[in-house]
Amino acid sequence: YKVIIMKSNIWQIRQQQKITLIQLAELTGISKSALNNYENDRRSPTLEDLEKIAIALNVHITDLLNHHISDLFPHMWKY
């Protein structure tokens, strides 16, 4: 499955924490332009970059995802 990001999630969490794009780039080692592309839905991050962003923002990686994991793999979540 392709990693699907809700474009506002990274931006929204970053804004709530008052972290600039430059600061997030420094914390993650990801270029400012790549982060900008992720936030504006022009590019999807690798799983490695997604993990770096989640760690830097101190959130769970699923907080950055557009879909809940059960939406992506419904056959695994039968009740």
Side-chain angles (χ1 to χ4, degrees):
Y1 288 88
K2 181 181 174 185
V3 175
I4 302 169
I5 298 295
M6 181 180 286
K7 70 179 181 179
S8 63
N9 280 4
I10 296 170
W11 180 87
Q12 183 178 9
I13 294 167
R14 186 171 63 74
Q15 292 299 310
Q16 288 171 348
Q17 296 185 17
K18 298 182 179 9
I19 295 174
T20 67
L21 200 57
I22 293 170
Q23 289 170 320
L24 186 58
E26 291 171 354
L27 289 168
T28 60
I30 301 168
S31 72
K32 182 182 158 195
S33 63
L35 290 168
N36 189 49
N37 284 334
Y38 299 158
E39 287 189 349
N40 291 293
D41 204 26
R42 288 189 293 261
R43 190 171 146 209
S44 291
T46 63
L47 191 53
E48 181 181 345
D49 281 357
L50 198 58
E51 183 177 26
K52 289 176 183 178
I53 294 166
I55 290 168
L57 295 174
N58 197 30
V59 296
H60 194 276
I61 199 167
T62 57
D63 294 333
L64 304 175
L65 299 175
N66 191 18
H67 298 285
H68 187 275
I69 194 74
S70 63
D71 295 332
L72 294 174
F73 304 99
H75 62 283
M76 299 175 92
W77 297 93
K78 293 181 181 175
Y79 296 97

